[in-house]
Amino acid sequence: MDELSRSLGQTGGALERDEHASMVLRLRRACTVGVVAWPAFGLVDWFVVTFVHPGRLWLYLALRAAGLLPLLLSVVVMYGRRMPGPRVVRWTDAGTCLCLSALITVGCGEFGGIVSPLVLGVLLVLIGRAAIVAERWQRAILPIGLIAVAHPTTLAVMALFEPSVAAQFADPTALAGFALHLMFLSGAVAVTLVGGHMMWALRRQVFQARSLGRYRLVQRIGVGGMGEVWAAHHNALKRDVAVKILRPETRGDSAAIARFEREVRATAELRHPNTVRVFDCGVTEDGLWYYAMELLDGRDLHAIVTREGPMEPVRAARLIRQAAKALAEAHARGIVHRDIKPENLFVTSLGGEGEYVKLLDFGLAKLAARGEPNMSLTQHGWAVGTPKWASPEVAGGGEALPSSDVYGLGAVLYFCVCGAPPFDYPDVGATVRAHLSEAPVPPSQRRSGIPHTIEAVVMRCLAKDPEQRFRSAGELAGALKDAMMAAGAPELVGVPARLEAPPPVRAAGSRGWDGHSPAALPEVADDLLPTAPEQPAVTLTFPRARERT
């Protein structure tokens, strides 16, 4: 998909990507139909040879076999492991149409020559393609034009080798019939171009008009196990937001809906500036559950480390400290996140100044203060965490506590400074056993230059016994501040007025999005970062009756 994104990135972005994906799906359907219909028309060949015009049946059947080759090649291309790019799709479509039209015309030489009624087969190819693959005329003119031009061109080439065809070109009556065929063929070209363009325009309007309640959906930017995240626009407020939608197939799943509501409640209660903000929630008339949150620019920690390599220890500590302060508020309100991992820590900027962490995805959060029972690990597989970042007590099937989130932050900090998680075995069971009993390799043994103060914080977070870890996320935040100062990090530095960096791709506060952000940003003391105003206290309740949208 990276190659596809690059090839579409210069020509229009999200809408073009949606249209391209739709085009590939339609071409898959067309190829499948063609593979069945093309040999099936062998019955027509048999009927012609038997009842209409005696000829060589084997020649017709050989042409059918030859036509299957480009059709099967198209199937391989369209159903490949990777979605083909626009250029591949364009030339596969055009080449297949050209081959089929030329083969039909060769069959015309066996039955009637330049006035053969088999020219109707060329018209069927035109109409069949237009019915399945509707696109704007600028793109359709190549394959449609090749279908039309292949007929007279093939006949002209055949006249060089077939005396009977050459004689027809010298016969005024045959030429008049041939001209009539070309007129109908030209009319079919015009109809398919105009009709296909009109269908494309209607489909584009549908793409642009997709909406969810009061939000117009612009681009899907994340997919999770139970929902999707879309960049959207609030038409009345003229504001861009990220909208998380519960998958339609979970409409009757009470457990999925309860988890979705819990995620909204947990996130909406938190007002710390390092927690993603929730603005709205609701249920559409057709039963889709959704909530709207702030739309962020940047990348998550996993994407940053994957692309740039291990972070400078002080930079990593500063980012994790911000996440720890956000978690401290959650723990104070009785909320345990239970899914701390690099993908859920999103690095953005605030007013274009400095790096700012946003804590995402409270879909697995436990609202301990409400007396909510712990979720069973067997309910949704790893329902209370991801094995690679799970604390020993959670990996062993125990209850997730605030200290479990502290362990997760320590594992993420380890990943940031070392470029790999504490335990990274191919087998999930081996990873779980390592969390339970295996001591992690100290970061300084995997990478030089890590201050011992920061390493000490990491190792204490990763202690097997929860009692030996930091007692709270707030205590961890304080320890990280002391560790950075002991490592010589300047704590009182000015905030740059502006960060010169390539414009980032807009991304949602959700897992699974891989945008782009500057490769390296100046180190800034997070205490002096511009402080976002706290979220006002919000109470969001999903309406039991479907809201009017």
Side-chain angles (χ1 to χ4, degrees):
M1 290 298 292
D2 290 341
E3 295 178 2
L4 174 61
S5 300
R6 285 196 296 270
S7 60
L8 292 173
Q10 299 176 351
T11 57
L15 190 56
E16 277 66 22
R17 282 191 289 273
D18 284 341
E19 288 183 338
H20 176 75
S22 178
M23 169 66 80
V24 172
L25 292 175
R26 295 196 303 274
L27 282 175
R28 287 176 178 175
R29 195 174 301 121
C31 293
T32 304
V33 172
V35 167
V36 176
W38 179 260
F41 268 89
L43 293 175
V44 176
D45 300 330
W46 170 82
F47 181 85
V48 168
V49 172
T50 304
F51 299 105
V52 182
H53 185 276
R56 295 169 291 183
L57 181 59
W58 66 265
L59 176 61
Y60 291 109
L61 298 180
L63 294 175
R64 294 293 166 191
L68 273 178
L69 295 178
L71 286 169
L72 291 174
L73 179 61
S74 300
V75 169
V76 171
V77 172
M78 295 301 160
Y79 284 92
R81 295 181 63 183
R82 292 186 178 182
M83 181 179 291
R87 182 174 299 178
V88 173
V89 168
R90 185 175 178 80
W91 287 107
T92 301
D93 176 25
T96 303
C97 292
L98 173 63
C99 290
L100 296 183
S101 180
L103 291 171
I104 292 173
T105 305
V106 172
C108 291
E110 183 73 7
F111 175 26
I114 64 174
V115 292
S116 173
L118 294 183
V119 70
L120 294 175
V122 178
L123 296 180
L124 281 177
V125 174
L126 271 174
I127 296 171
R129 183 194 177 279
I132 299 177
V133 183
E135 56 185 345
R136 58 180 179 174
W137 70 268
Q138 293 94 332
R139 293 185 179 180
I141 196 169
L142 176 62
I144 289 178
L146 287 175
I147 294 172
V149 171
H151 178 66
T153 303
T154 304
L155 286 174
V157 173
M158 289 178 64
L160 300 176
F161 305 97
E162 288 285 342
S164 60
V165 176
Q168 286 182 312
F169 275 109
D171 181 359
T173 303
L175 275 178
F178 179 60
L180 184 62
H181 285 179
L182 293 183
M183 290 179 189
F184 281 110
L185 191 58
S186 299
V189 168
V191 169
T192 52
L193 279 176
V194 173
H197 185 86
M198 293 176 64
M199 292 176 63
W200 167 81
L202 291 173
R203 183 179 290 113
R204 189 178 180 91
Q205 290 178 14
V206 171
F207 276 131
Q208 292 175 327
R210 287 176 304 186
S211 62
L212 187 78
R214 58 184 67 87
Y215 301 100
R216 179 172 60 85
L217 303 181
V218 177
Q219 177 186 5
R220 189 175 69 176
I221 55 180
V223 181
M226 299 180 64
E228 297 180 350
V229 181
W230 287 74
H233 184 75
H234 193 292
N235 296 314
L237 299 178
K238 307 299 181 184
R239 180 175 189 172
D240 293 328
V241 297
V243 176
K244 188 165 186 177
I245 307 168
L246 191 63
R247 288 186 182 276
E249 56 265 29
T250 61
R251 293 182 192 183
D253 189 341
S254 58
I257 293 174
R259 171 180 161 183
F260 197 74
E261 288 190 275
R262 179 175 61 249
E263 177 177 359
V264 179
R265 293 200 313 272
T267 311
E269 285 186 21
L270 302 176
R271 294 179 288 169
H272 195 277
N274 288 112
T275 303
V276 67
R277 300 177 62 193
V278 170
F279 303 129
D280 185 22
C281 66
V283 187
T284 64
E285 289 184 347
D286 55 352
L288 282 179
W289 298 70
Y290 71 92
Y291 71 86
M293 54 188 164
E294 62 182 318
L295 189 64
L296 305 173
D297 290 336
R299 289 184 292 180
D300 60 59
L301 283 179
H302 184 271
I304 293 175
V305 174
T306 300
R307 293 194 177 195
E308 302 174 11
M311 291 183 175
E312 287 300 318
V314 172
R315 177 191 179 197
R318 183 174 291 120
L319 295 176
I320 298 302
R321 181 177 176 236
Q322 294 180 41
K325 291 193 292 185
L327 270 179
E329 182 204 21
H331 293 167
R333 293 175 176 267
I335 300 173
V336 181
H337 190 283
R338 300 202 294 187
D339 196 21
I340 299 297
K341 58 184 179 181
E343 292 86 346
N344 285 339
L345 298 180
F346 199 91
V347 181
T348 182
S349 61
L350 193 63
E353 299 181 349
E355 291 185 308
Y356 210 78
V357 169
K358 286 286 187 175
L359 179 61
L360 312 177
D361 202 343
F362 282 80
L364 299 181
K366 184 185 72 169
L367 312 184
R370 286 73 169 173
E372 178 186 291
N374 190 20
M375 294 174 61
S376 169
L377 278 173
T378 59
Q379 184 174 354
H380 288 97
W382 274 93
V384 291
T386 305
K388 194 176 291 186
W389 316 99
S391 63
E393 58 271 19
V394 171
E399 183 180 3
L401 302 170
S403 58
S404 305
D405 286 346
V406 170
Y407 185 96
L409 284 178
V412 174
L413 181 54
Y414 189 105
F415 170 76
C416 290
V417 298
C418 296
F423 308 107
D424 191 15
Y425 295 101
D427 178 65
V428 173
T431 302
V432 170
R433 288 190 294 272
H435 280 294
L436 289 171
S437 59
E438 185 177 326
V441 177
S444 59
Q445 295 183 21
R446 303 186 69 166
R447 179 190 175 196
S448 61
I450 298 178
H452 70 277
T453 54
I454 294 179
E455 180 178 76
V457 172
V458 173
M459 298 306 289
R460 183 173 174 184
C461 289
L462 296 177
K464 304 298 181 186
D465 184 358
E467 297 296 327
Q468 296 179 8
R469 301 174 203 152
F470 296 101
R471 291 173 295 179
S472 65
E475 183 179 348
L476 170 58
L480 284 171
K481 179 178 180 180
D482 294 340
M484 288 188 293
M485 294 184 68
E491 190 66 15
L492 299 177
V493 295
V495 177
R498 182 179 178 84
L499 291 178
E500 297 298 333
V505 174
R506 180 159 270 181
S510 170
R511 74 180 83 178
W513 171 251
D514 185 9
H516 298 279
S517 64
L521 297 175
E523 296 295 345
V524 182
D526 61 293
D527 282 343
L528 293 181
L529 283 174
T531 303
E534 287 191 342
Q535 281 184 242
V538 196
T539 300
L540 296 178
T541 306
F542 281 98
R544 291 305 169 190
R546 294 174 180 172
E547 67 172 6
R548 282 271 182 212
T549 56

